[in-house]
Amino acid sequence: EPEVTQTPSHQVTQMGQEVILRCVPISNHLYFYWYRQILGQKVEFLVSFYNNEISEKSEIFDDQFSVERPDGSNFTLKIRSTKLEDSAMYFCASRTGDYGYTFGSGTRLTVV
Amino acid sequence: GESVGLHLPTLSVQEGDNSIINCAYSNSASDYFIWYKQESGKGPQFIIDIRSNMDKRQGQRVTVLLNKTVKHLSLQIAATQPGDSAVYFCAENLWAGANSKLTFGKGITLSVRP
């Protein structure tokens, strides 16, 4: 069964450093998402991406965040200058034109 | 504001019993609902979904019920097994083409006693 692949599985970074979280969505999917989950809390929407541009972003997705689909297969989330409160699990998801969302296993980001 | 929420934070059931997990949603325009299971350190795993033009859908050992009148969603797990122990999330989707996205409720922990 096709999977959404995320790397790395765990990333530790110092506060103020830039991080890039990587995702390989399912190849025939058209819509791409990043969600995050702070420990013990619900999964929160960050951003959606379609046709090489952001469709929608949440209040969390401020100027420190950016997304890119540089080569038609990878979908990346960049945090320019990490803060302690950015520590969370970050999930990538993709879907086809209908409702079929598929989530990756996540990247655990720890900011120290 | 719009929200999706769960009534109970934890649920403990005896192995072999049936489990019922409930969820309330507030956006009456949502057209699609999904139940996810999340095991420790993993991403949300699809269990079952239902579209708003249905009120019941059955899978293998799982049933989802949708009551649009009271904006209520439930997940029934038959003959609960230890492997069912996890956090369960309901999520709603508001169809808006490219702007469609899922909104998740707070998770409920299901604990299965042997």
Side-chain angles (χ1 to χ4, degrees), chain A residues 33 35 37 56 95 99 101, chain B residues 31 38 93 97 100-102:
Chain A
Y33 302 84
Y35 285 79
Q37 185 180 30
E56 186 176 349
R95 68 176 172 93
Y99 298 103
Y101 294 88
Chain B
D31 62 341
Q38 187 178 29
N93 180 85
S100 299
K101 68 177 187 287
L102 290 177

Side-chain angles (χ1 to χ4, degrees), chain B residues 6-43:
Chain B
L6 293 165
H7 295 302
L8 300 173
T10 60
L11 177 65
S12 179
V13 299
Q14 190 72 39
E15 181 179 355
D17 287 353
N18 297 334
S19 303
I20 300 176
I21 303 172
N22 296 305
C23 174
Y25 65 95
S26 60
N27 191 341
S28 57
S30 290
D31 62 341
Y32 175 62
F33 305 87
I34 310 174
W35 279 101
Y36 285 99
K37 173 184 180 183
Q38 187 178 29
E39 295 171 304
S40 181
K42 296 185 179 179

